[in-house]
Amino acid sequence: MFKKNFITFFLWVLLWGVCSAQEICPLNAKPPAELKSLKEFSAIAILHNGRVKPMDTYARHVLLQFSGKGKYEKQEPIRWLTGVLFGNPELLEQKVFLINNPEIAETLGIEPEKGRRYSFAQLEKGLPLLIDLAQRAWDIDEKNRSIVENEIIRVESNIRLFIQLTHVFQFAAPHPDFQIQNKTLKKELEFPEAQNYFNFLMVALRAEKLNELTRDLENKENSLWTETEKEAYQLISNLYSWSMYYNNLPIHIIPFFQHETHDWLSPWDTIHFSFNDPDIRKEIYFLSDMYQAKLGGDQIRFDLAVRSFSNSVENRLKREGAGSKYLRLELFSNQLQAFFWAKFLYLFSFLICMMALIKTNKVFYRVAWILVGGGFLIQAIGFIMRVVILQRPPVSTLYETFLFVSFISVFVGLIIERFSKNWLGLIISSISGFVFLMIASRFAAEGDTLKMLVAVLNSNFWLSTHVVTITIGYAGVCVAGVVGHIYILQSIFRPHQQELLKETQRILLGTLAFGLTMTFLGTNLGGIWADASWGRFWGWDPKENGALLIVLWIAMLFHLKVGRMIGALGLAIGSVLGCIVVMWAWFGVNLLSVGLHSYGFTSGLARNLLIYVLVQLLFLTLTIPLIKRK
Amino acid sequence: MNLFIKNLAKNPLVRFMASLKITVICLALLFILTLWGTIDQVGNGLYAAQEKFFFSFYFLGFGFIPFPGARLVLWVFFFNLLAVTVTRFIHYKLKSIGIIIIHLGLLSYFFAAFVTFHATKETYLQLLEGAGSNLSSYYRDWEVSIWKGEDNPRNVTSVDAKLLKPGFSLQLNDFGLEFHVTQFLTNSDAYLEQPQEGTEYLNASGIKSLKKISPNIEPEKNMAGGTFLLKDKKGELKNLLLFGGEVRPTGLSINDEIVYFQLRKKRHELPLTLKLVDFRMKKYPGTDMAKSYESLVEIDANGLKRQVLIYMNHPLRYKDYTFYQASYAIDKLSREYSTLAVVKNPGKFLPYFACFLTFAGLVIHFMSSSFQKKK
């Protein structure tokens, strides 16, 4: 805690140190000329959260983190990020900072906005207060922090990151701190005579010469210093203070290899720590060139600088055997938005299914098939791309499990439809596909969804056996829950169609059996994994218990049915309630924040889970009396 | 045999036990216990919840409602399953082969659980880089170890802490010593200040008194402590204080010999010696997030030495023992320690067998019933 606070405090002291000498966000006086294409720039490799990804993914992540939106006023995230990095002054007025609690805005002296988003210019006045509040919020234990306190910390860290991002390319920006009027000094430093303003990089490259010029000044009285010496001294002082201030900045785009260690540095840290390496020095020149080209709106020069930079980085990575192969694929995946389109197709198909309730039509049936099939195909492509990019099965975070449950539910629905041919499978597919993808998209709002795994999960074999199987089990029971709903509705609206009810009951039994078998297998494979990594097959851990609850619940339903203690309706009700058991096992136990499966815990789920349970109970309370009446 | 089973199947008690209602009640009770025991872990920790809900025959819910524990429910469930096997599955038909396999699988689970519950020994081994040991420690159990200073190799006598209740005494003939327990605390704090009116104790670390504190919800974090009265051959009395957090043993002159006393976690002798050659932790570049932990160990089993890499999900198996990478520590001198969980479980493969059998039964049953319905 102390360390974290200290770092926060230290960073702010540094930032404010710079700010007191210069402006907070060193943006240019006029907007830099717009470039038509940022295609090459969006493919630059960047290390973020332990993973090398394209700049495009990073831009999406940061914009989502700041604003909770995927785009800013129809502007692609990469264009917005480029604006921040290359100093577009219009950004100060753009309302990108999301503050969920209006009282925070009021405390900072800002009129609360309807859209809950504020510009940097609005927030700037209240910054010292925000920093102070954030500092106090940090001092409170994480478990005891209120929503407002967490929000203060989030907003403050976003603004801090924004300021840091505007500093990333400052080494290439001409600045009054590096102004040279003296012609002799310009000549000594081999600068063009006509130019007065220079950037940090240009001066840093001549640091040795400046050292030479100022070496003897310590022994010379100030009044005796020549104009050249005075300017040289000022330059070297500024060089030093800039070096002190600008470090630990984001945008880790330059790989750095030393002995056995491998890290990625930001341009500033590269200048400080490894500028002597000729390849790395060349890369800094390319970045500087990129900045100048962006400022002048020179597309060809900009792309050339980006390509030269990327090429140099790639060559060095290959030489060290650390190449990142799938950046282009990830870019394509970002642009394809496979899960968005799949969700759209499932929704459309569901609407057609609803229309078919009024009037069955062969054309409708075919269109619904094509839409669900198309959604399934696109979703499968999205999955395959995730597997290739991450080199692991795509089921390890809560977000991914929602994607996977949606995928399996659609698949099970399609299989059911293939045999039953009575719309039931299509309804199951479209509802489950849409609902689970909808929930998944809420998790996607947390940022980059392609995450690295904690050490204990880092096993492709067990991820692809235990986690995949148990998630298929969840999907099976969820599908049974959907069928249970349908059976209850059919019992109300079509009580005399016994054949239809029997068919639905048969499907209900089948999906429950599928859910039980896969959950049972998944639970046991989990036991075997636990045995292999922790030394015990079963430890009564909440997540293990959750899976056991599903198995016990379905086993109980089957035994009740076999013993004729319940009928088809009881089974349907049990399946609806079974969904609640699955939700509890899936993410409800994570809310307890205890146990060995403490990875992937997500806040804000409790309310949604409670709403879900209440809705299900309300559904049963409203529908069951109707069946009895009929 | 067949006749015996037929007669057994007619027994009213067996017929009663074979009731499907008992099965449903057992499943429902297990469901409630599992849910309750999971939620209870939030406040009382895993260990207490296990003991109360899962390892007990009964307990008092909310302090006053008697409720069957999972152990009792599982025994009833086991007899229910046995009775069902005798009365129904004995007249098996080919179409119910899946059901029979499922329930045989479940019976093997009961057997596996019984063996694992009663025969598993869970200990740990913390090693400093370069150090080796053939003794692992229990997580929660303590012992008082006593040995003579001149012994080489050291001949240690241990007294299990479960016996250490005030008033307990023991005659240690090898040391010519009477050992009396005056106080034993499961979890305690140690103080260097002498209380105004209190006995003066002998202790190597200068500890003067102990204070009882409530047990930790994670019992492995408890720090035991105790005071003892020692009487040598001459009848001379010595008051001894031992605290679980001490690194050094307390050496006392007993019958003109130096005898050492130490309160420590109970030890378990391993059939091999492990030496930690190197501990490595890899992180994802640019983060503090661990990608992997691994311990390179040299094992010495009956004079045969070899190096083995133990890392997450890749334990070392030796006879009934399995060694897992559990955690690590770095001390103030930047020395690295690796902690290996050591589990001795003679029935470790039994759940695997039960799992295979039950899963196979489920697949056979559901597949065959789906085909039967098709027909």
Side-chain angles (χ1 to χ4, degrees), chain A residues 474 477 545-554 574-588 612-613, chain B residues 31:
Chain A
Y474 291 164
V477 186
N545 292 354
L548 177 66
L549 286 174
I550 301 174
V551 174
L552 288 171
W553 182 260
I554 304 174
S575 306
V576 171
L577 296 174
C579 269
I580 298 177
V581 182
V582 170
M583 297 303 160
W584 170 257
W586 192 353
F587 49 85
Y612 173 78
V613 174
Chain B
F31 185 90

Side-chain angles (χ1 to χ4, degrees), chain A residues 85-243:
Chain A
L85 292 175
F86 293 99
N88 183 351
E90 289 168 359
L91 280 164
L92 297 178
E93 302 298 334
Q94 291 182 354
K95 295 179 179 175
V96 284
F97 295 101
L98 171 70
I99 303 180
N100 285 306
N101 305 80
E103 52 266 52
I104 296 178
E106 280 169 12
T107 309
L108 298 177
I110 308 162
E111 187 67 28
E113 296 269 355
K114 269 188 184 173
R116 294 177 295 150
R117 285 166 185 84
Y118 303 83
S119 69
F120 184 82
Q122 282 175 296
L123 293 166
E124 197 177 0
K125 275 183 228 159
L127 263 185
L129 181 60
L130 181 66
I131 295 161
D132 186 44
L133 292 174
Q135 187 65 40
R136 288 186 210 177
W138 270 118
D139 289 339
I140 299 167
D141 276 348
E142 199 177 341
K143 278 185 181 174
N144 300 332
R145 270 183 224 143
S146 67
I147 296 170
V148 173
E149 284 151 2
N150 277 324
E151 185 66 359
I152 287 171
I153 290 174
R154 193 187 68 80
V155 173
E156 185 262 358
S157 70
N158 282 346
I159 294 173
R160 178 150 42 91
L161 178 60
F162 177 81
I163 296 171
Q164 287 178 328
L165 286 171
T166 61
H167 290 156
V168 168
F169 277 90
Q170 270 303 287
F171 67 89
H175 195 276
D177 279 1
F178 302 107
Q179 183 185 8
I180 309 175
Q181 301 284 1
N182 189 289
K183 284 180 184 170
T184 324
L185 185 59
K186 281 187 205 171
K187 206 174 172 186
E188 286 278 357
L189 297 175
E190 296 174 8
F191 277 136
E193 205 182 307
Q195 196 176 340
N196 290 336
Y197 286 95
F198 303 93
N199 61 35
F200 173 88
L201 183 65
M202 293 164 93
V203 180
L205 286 168
R206 290 153 175 91
E208 257 181 54
K209 187 72 191 167
L210 278 170
N211 263 331
E212 249 177 58
L213 291 170
T214 53
R215 192 175 297 149
D216 299 326
L217 290 180
E218 276 180 23
N219 308 320
K220 200 172 173 183
E221 217 176 285
N222 283 18
S223 55
L224 300 175
W225 288 10
T226 64
E227 279 307 309
T228 313
E229 285 171 339
K230 277 182 189 167
E231 272 200 34
Y233 184 79
Q234 190 57 51
L235 274 181
I236 205 146
S237 305
N238 291 342
L239 207 57
Y240 177 74
S241 56
W242 276 54
S243 310

Side-chain angles (χ1 to χ4, degrees), chain A residues 456-505:
Chain A
V456 70
L457 278 181
N458 209 353
S459 158
N460 276 352
F461 174 73
W462 290 114
L463 274 180
S464 52
T465 51
H466 160 60
V467 185
V468 167
T469 323
I470 194 93
T471 317
I472 292 175
Y474 291 164
V477 186
C478 286
V479 169
V482 175
V483 182
H485 283 90
I486 293 170
Y487 184 87
I488 292 169
L489 293 174
Q490 283 176 342
S491 306
I492 297 170
F493 297 108
R494 305 202 174 154
H496 306 300
Q497 293 185 15
Q498 285 304 313
E499 274 306 306
L500 179 73
L501 285 170
K502 269 187 187 167
E503 176 68 9
T504 311
Q505 187 196 337

Side-chain angles (χ1 to χ4, degrees), chain A residues 47 49-50 262-263 452-456 458-459 506 509 513 516-517 520-521 524 528-529 531-537 539-540 542 545 548-549 552-553 555-556 558-560 562-563 565 581 584 589 592 594, chain B residues 20-21 23-24 27-28 30-31 34-35 38-39 41-42 46 50 54-55 103 109 122 284-287 289-293 312-315 317 324-325 341 343 348 351-352 355 358-359 362-363 366 373-374:
Chain A
L47 179 85
N49 285 346
H262 166 208
D263 207 347
M452 305 315 285
L453 296 177
V454 291
V456 70
N458 209 353
S459 158
R506 200 173 69 84
L509 278 168
L516 173 66
T517 310
F520 175 82
L521 180 66
N524 280 275
I528 297 172
W529 187 4
D531 192 30
S533 47
W534 297 321
R536 85 292 181 287
F537 184 85
W540 301 104
N545 292 354
L548 177 66
L549 286 174
L552 288 171
W553 182 260
M556 199 162 65
F558 274 121
H559 284 88
L560 283 166
V562 170
M565 287 173 255
V581 182
W584 170 257
V589 288
L592 301 175
V594 286
Chain B
L20 205 57
K21 281 179 184 146
T23 314
V24 171
L27 285 167
L30 283 176
F31 185 90
T34 310
L35 186 61
T38 308
I39 295 166
Q41 289 181 28
V42 180
L46 175 64
Q50 275 184 347
F54 308 126
F55 298 164
H103 291 84
Y109 265 113
E122 289 184 356
Y284 288 108
T287 67
M289 188 175 169
K291 190 179 182 184
S292 71
Y293 310 96
M312 302 302 285
N313 301 319
H314 290 83
R317 293 189 191 272
Y324 306 87
Q325 182 63 57
V343 180
K348 68 184 165 206
Y352 295 26
C355 162
T358 317
F359 176 67
L362 281 166
V363 172
F366 290 129
K373 272 168 194 161
K374 275 262 146 210

